Amino acid sequence: MLETLFRFLFEYRPVVFQQGEFRFAPTTGSYVALALAIAASVLIVISYRARLKAAALRAPAPARASFFTRHASPLLLGLRLGLIALVALCLLRPVMVVKAAAAQQNFLALLIDDSRSMRIDDAPPGAGQPGSEESTRGDYARQQFGDTESGVLKALSDRFVVRTFRFSSSPARMASPTELKFEGAQTKLGAALDGVRQELAGLPLAGVVLVSDGADTTDAALTDALLGMKAAALPVFTVGIGQDHLERDIQVDRVTTPRRALKGTSLLVDAVVGHTGYAGETVMLDVEDGGRIVGSQAVQLPADGEPTSVRVRVMATDAGARVYKFRVSPRQGEAIAQNNSRDAMVDVVDRRERILHYEGEPRAEMKFLRQAVRDDKNLEVITLQRTAENKFTRIGVDDPEHLLGGFPRTREELFEYRGLILSNIEASAFSGDQLRMIAEFVERRGGGLLMVGGPRAFAEGGYAGTPVADVLPVALGGVTRTASGDFPVAHLAVRPTRAGESHAVTQIAGNEADSGARWPEMPPLTSVNPITTVKPGATVLLSGTDDRRRQQVVLASQRYGRGKAIAQTVQDSWLWQMHAVISLEDQTHENYWRQMLRWLVSEVPDTVDAHTVTDRVEPGEPVTLVADVVDRAFVELNDATVSAFVDGPGGKEEIPVQWTGERNGEYRASFIPKAEGVYTVRVDAQRAGKTIGSTLTQVRAVPSDAEYFDATMQAARLERIASETGGRFYTSANLTGLPDDVQYTGRGVTTVEERELWHMPIVLMLMLALMSGEWALRRKAGLA
């Protein structure tokens, strides 16, 4: 609308004024007329001054003169002089000098988006009615840019030699609009612009027209491509197709899952659901594994445009590479159904994770902890219980020599475990080197450390100032004793914190709501470790309130180096099993400790740890494999012999793996999955003929569905491309002006044109306005 008004008032398009040079082109007659206009202005001024003096002599000014009586003459003078000045300006013949592209002497690159998002049925007006055969974004693109005998392409072809390209991941020359299939699984705007610029380098190129919905499914920034266009002084004229707001649509925005999980783990998966047009409605987020539903969660949708976070529980019951589909059933009237689901692959491993449990004295806590995880086939808890000075009971060992001398004395021996529990054992029970080993177990080895409360734990156990204190998530302060020399005992009602409500370890019932209702029913526990402060970066998951309503930390955790450290300050969680209010069939205590120990050993690395940069690629797209190799003491190795074996739909192959030279212990390889399916990669590492370790990782080669997410027309991105290169952004509303604007870029073979400005409609309207204003003012002041 504004552009149409501008064109009506100024006769020319805005680009003429933006690209042109303003000049005057007067003739001899113009100077004579200008002199007469100046003379007329002088005479008018003299005449008005004389009239004012005569009026002042005839009669005194009234006591209360009106505004018009007091100011009419100066205003009339100004209007008359303004009219004369405008006429004088026209007499000087103002012109706008522009460089226009010579007809059929310049090339124009036309880039048309050929990706799947162009199939979306939200075409601009003029592309048919929704649901008809000609209503998609792609149909509109064909209509305007597919036929040289119609649409915008006809006007462009009359002025330029048009070179048409289609693109998704890369540009390709297009001879016929039938080549537009709109099947591209990716959109790479930067690669398309770079490719066209390089292919047409050396030709008289007037500019580039980019026809797209603005989606860009790559992580690559546009900055480099735009710098290349700016360096070549090549303007990009962007044409946005599609709606920038979908009236009714639901989208599963994001799903966060671990890449690896232990079989039997209850996964709490965070998903984000966005929508427009369904505010207040409740939908069901289902999780499917191989076509069967393994989890569901109701989601109440908030106001339009506001994403909502939902947590859904999924039980990893089957081992192997599991592809979970998180799906909301399409609703009536939805614009896009393909964005209602997201896939996530989780490698569910079936193995026994070894945990060393060091107990400082015989007590019920150790007995019930072992009993809680006794039936868990994926957890192997080996208990070292001190019964007297330098005397130990070993429980769960499979080798008569294992831990015979007590707690491990070498890093290699300790680092064989993936988790370590220190339960009511004082710091003085370890040597200085063993305390450093425990800290390195977390920081370097990446293991999980859990310290359980008791009179020999935390500050009461003398850990303050030790390397272990640096690892713990809680701050160890001073020690308080009663008059009898004992530690004061606090009876704590345990509740989850806001952060803990949604954590896996606090889910002691079937779902989050039931767990929240269950916690107030749990009997109180005791603690002799009054900890109230945690370190920066630590998270408190459980807190306890004593009889005097004072709060203290019950369960806190933090990441430290490559691993994690957990502090549990209560000493008798076994009461959740044996208290009088707990029934014999109650599984709360078992659930708590199973989830605790599975969390303790989650994401713990092996001596050979491999992963792909992304867990999903397009068939034919390269996969980058990264492997970290360490020895038994978890010292990085740069001289290992590493091999990778790929097993996929196309068969088996071995790929070379090389040390990167960028980081100690890091090796890389790449391969191309040609067929669709899941590829399993086994990585083996040896050194000096001895096996270091082996591991598996998976990657999927499947067509991407990224084109259907955030699939509104990305006007901001298209405007940025246009503004940074000197082009302009268009929609269907102003698309007809594109051919004229491209003609005046000033690039290539050009001709100089002079556009007269004196006869613009705005000039005539100003003249009429000045004359009308003077006449109206005279009537108002009684001077007509």
Side-chain angles (χ1 to χ4, degrees):
M1 181 66 70
L2 290 177
E3 185 169 310
T4 303
L5 180 61
F6 185 95
R7 182 73 179 268
F8 171 75
L9 293 176
F10 294 92
E11 190 173 350
Y12 308 116
R13 292 186 55 78
V15 68
V16 173
F17 297 90
Q18 294 170 356
Q19 303 291 343
E21 178 183 351
F22 181 80
R23 294 179 185 175
F24 291 102
T27 63
T28 303
S30 299
Y31 289 118
V32 174
L34 180 61
L36 292 175
I38 294 173
S41 300
V42 173
L43 290 175
I44 290 173
V45 172
I46 294 173
S47 174
Y48 270 92
R49 292 189 63 182
R51 183 174 180 178
L52 289 175
K53 289 180 180 180
L57 292 174
R58 283 196 301 269
R64 296 178 59 86
S66 68
F67 173 84
F68 288 106
T69 303
R70 287 182 281 114
H71 300 284
S73 293
L75 289 174
L76 288 170
L77 177 62
L79 290 172
R80 181 63 60 85
L81 291 177
L83 180 60
I84 293 174
L86 184 59
V87 172
L89 181 65
C90 293
L91 292 174
L92 290 175
R93 292 188 63 209
V95 297
M96 188 65 66
V97 180
V98 293
K99 293 181 179 181
Q104 298 300 316
Q105 298 296 311
N106 297 280
F107 288 81
L108 178 69
L110 176 59
L111 270 168
I112 302 178
D113 192 340
D114 194 30
S115 64
R116 293 176 183 170
S117 62
M118 298 292 283
R119 295 180 176 180
I120 295 174
D121 188 357
D122 66 342
Q129 297 298 319
S132 69
E133 293 183 357
E134 293 185 344
S135 62
T136 67
R137 299 173 182 179
D139 291 325
Y140 184 78
R142 281 198 188 102
Q143 181 187 87
Q144 296 295 331
F145 299 96
D147 188 358
T148 56
E149 299 301 322
S150 64
V152 177
L153 183 58
K154 182 180 187 305
L156 291 173
S157 299
D158 291 341
R159 295 170 170 86
F160 304 97
V161 179
V162 180
R163 290 288 181 264
T164 306
F165 298 80
R166 58 185 177 89
F167 76 95
S168 53
S169 58
S170 60
R173 284 288 299 272
M174 189 178 77
S176 168
T178 59
E179 296 180 30
L180 289 170
K181 303 297 184 182
F182 307 112
E183 296 178 346
Q186 294 180 317
T187 302
K188 299 181 179 180
L189 296 177
L193 293 173
D194 272 340
V196 166
R197 176 177 57 82
Q198 294 170 12
E199 182 165 341
L200 299 182
L203 296 177
L205 195 60
V208 176
V209 176
L210 175 65
V211 182
S212 173
D213 53 20
D216 194 325
T217 57
T218 67
D219 295 329
L222 277 170
T223 304
D224 291 341
L226 295 183
L227 287 175
M229 304 300 284
K230 290 169 68 176
L234 196 58
V236 180
F237 297 85
T238 55
V239 179
I241 299 181
Q243 299 178 12
D244 56 7
H245 175 78
L246 299 177
E247 293 296 328
R248 294 173 68 81
D249 189 56
I250 297 175
Q251 173 174 295
V252 180
D253 286 326
R254 185 176 66 253
V255 173
T256 304
T257 61
R259 295 195 67 169
R260 183 174 297 170
L262 194 60
K263 181 182 176 182
T265 297
S266 179
L267 302 176
L268 284 180
V269 180
D270 291 315
V272 177
V273 179
H275 84 99
T276 53
Y278 297 95
E281 296 190 23
T282 299
V283 298
M284 189 67 66
L285 177 66
D286 294 324
V287 186
E288 300 177 2
D289 178 13
R292 58 189 177 91
I293 296 179
V294 294
S296 295
Q297 182 63 49
V299 184
Q300 184 171 13
L301 300 176
D304 280 8
E306 294 184 10
T308 182
S309 179
V310 59
R311 180 160 288 186
V312 59
R313 179 177 293 191
V314 180
M315 184 64 70
T317 55
D318 299 323
R322 311 305 304 175
V323 179
Y324 296 106
K325 181 187 288 291
F326 297 79
R327 180 175 180 271
V328 175
S329 296
R331 311 284 283 187
Q332 184 176 4
E334 270 201 75
I336 307 171
Q338 292 90 338
N339 61 1
N340 283 44
S341 66
R342 279 194 185 270
D343 295 343
M345 187 171 68
V346 179
D347 181 16
V348 180
V349 295
D350 185 10
R351 66 185 182 191
R352 290 177 65 82
E353 305 281 39
R354 301 185 75 197
I355 301 172
L356 176 58
H357 177 199
Y358 193 8
E359 183 69 52
E361 63 180 3
R363 60 175 186 166
E365 186 73 352
M366 182 273 291
K367 172 186 174 182
F368 284 95
L369 185 155
R370 290 190 56 83
Q371 182 175 305
V373 299
R374 178 180 55 198
D375 297 330
D376 194 323
K377 297 180 180 180
N378 296 103
L379 293 176
E380 181 184 2
V381 179
I382 298 173
T383 300
L384 181 66
Q385 184 185 61
R386 185 176 60 184
T387 56
E389 188 70 25
N390 294 325
K391 291 186 178 180
F392 306 95
T393 296
R394 299 170 298 151
I395 305 174
V397 296
D398 52 8
D399 183 350
E401 301 295 325
H402 192 56
L403 300 177
L404 190 61
F407 190 81
R409 299 182 182 275
T410 66
R411 286 160 176 77
E412 289 80 1
E413 186 180 2
L414 178 61
F415 289 2
E416 288 180 0
Y417 296 93
R418 303 175 72 83
L420 174 62
I421 304 173
L422 300 181
S423 181
N424 197 35
I425 184 72
E426 69 277 7
S428 60
F430 305 98
S431 67
D433 187 54
Q434 286 176 318
L435 291 172
R436 288 188 292 273
M437 282 168 46
I438 295 172
E440 291 176 10
F441 175 81
V442 180
E443 182 179 18
R444 189 206 298 177
R445 192 257 181 271
L449 170 65
L450 168 64
M451 181 172 284
V452 180
R456 296 183 176 89
F458 299 105
E460 290 70 19
Y463 282 96
T466 67
V468 175
D470 296 335
V471 175
L472 293 175
V474 295
L476 304 184
V479 177
T480 303
R481 294 181 182 271
T482 63
S484 62
D486 297 326
F487 298 118
V489 178
H491 295 265
L492 303 174
V494 180
R495 302 288 186 273
T497 63
R498 183 177 295 275
E501 288 175 350
S502 56
H503 197 278
V505 76
T506 67
Q507 303 305 300
I508 57 177
N511 54 55
E512 190 171 325
D514 292 344
S515 295
R518 177 64 172 147
W519 277 105
E521 302 172 355
M522 301 300 291
L525 305 179
T526 65
S527 174
V528 294
N529 310 111
I531 295 174
T532 58
T533 305
V534 297
K535 296 176 181 176
T539 302
V540 180
L541 302 176
L542 295 175
S543 64
T545 305
D546 64 12
D547 300 335
R548 299 171 61 183
R549 304 187 66 81
R550 295 176 300 185
Q551 282 197 342
Q552 69 181 59
V553 176
V554 171
L555 184 68
S557 71
Q558 75 170 4
R559 297 294 303 182
Y560 189 86
R562 301 181 69 189
K564 70 171 73 70
I566 306 170
Q568 177 182 291
T569 62
V570 292
Q571 60 181 348
D572 48 10
S573 68
W574 60 271
L575 289 174
W576 288 344
Q577 179 67 54
M578 297 302 295
H579 196 277
V581 301
I582 302 294
S583 66
L584 291 177
E585 297 80 15
D586 193 290
Q587 294 292 305
T588 301
H589 182 259
E590 286 86 347
N591 289 339
Y592 175 79
W593 275 107
R594 286 173 185 168
Q595 290 167 176
M596 171 75 80
L597 297 190
R598 283 174 172 268
W599 174 42
L600 182 69
V601 297
S602 65
E603 300 177 358
V604 176
D606 295 310
T607 52
V608 179
D609 197 57
H611 67 275
T612 55
V613 173
T614 178
D615 65 353
R616 176 175 178 168
V617 297
E618 287 277 328
E621 182 180 354
V623 174
T624 300
L625 175 71
V626 179
D628 294 305
V629 181
V630 296
D631 62 13
R632 291 181 60 205
F634 278 73
V635 176
E636 294 86 355
L637 298 177
N638 297 333
D639 58 351
T641 301
V642 183
S643 303
F645 303 89
V646 180
D647 187 1
K652 299 180 180 181
E653 65 171 318
E654 181 178 357
I655 56 175
V657 184
Q658 302 293 331
W659 176 50
T660 62
E662 300 172 0
R663 191 168 68 87
N664 288 333
E666 183 181 81
Y667 296 76
R668 284 190 184 181
S670 64
F671 67 96
I672 298 178
K674 297 180 181 179
E676 184 176 335
V678 176
Y679 290 76
T680 300
V681 184
R682 189 185 85 244
V683 179
D684 299 332
Q686 294 183 338
R687 187 189 191 197
K690 296 182 179 179
T691 299
I692 299 172
S694 179
T695 190
L696 296 176
T697 189
Q698 287 84 21
V699 64
R700 284 188 301 156
V702 290
S704 174
D705 56 2
E707 285 288 322
Y708 297 109
F709 290 86
D710 298 321
T712 55
M713 191 259 289
Q714 303 295 313
R717 181 178 291 124
L718 294 173
E719 287 176 350
R720 178 196 170 196
I721 294 172
S723 63
E724 291 193 16
T725 59
R728 196 175 179 200
F729 169 64
Y730 301 84
T731 62
S732 59
N734 62 350
L735 183 58
T736 55
L738 171 63
D740 289 337
D741 290 348
V742 179
Q743 187 174 3
Y744 295 105
T745 61
R747 283 186 49 86
V749 180
T750 60
T751 60
V752 177
E753 297 181 358
E754 289 188 355
R755 298 298 181 94
E756 298 278 1
L757 302 181
W758 63 269
H759 54 62
M760 292 188 301
I762 188 66
V763 176
L764 177 60
M765 295 175 69
L766 284 175
M767 286 183 179
L768 292 175
L770 291 171
M771 294 171 65
S772 301
E774 182 184 5
W775 178 81
L777 187 58
R778 283 179 177 276
R779 284 184 58 87
K780 186 71 175 179
L783 300 175

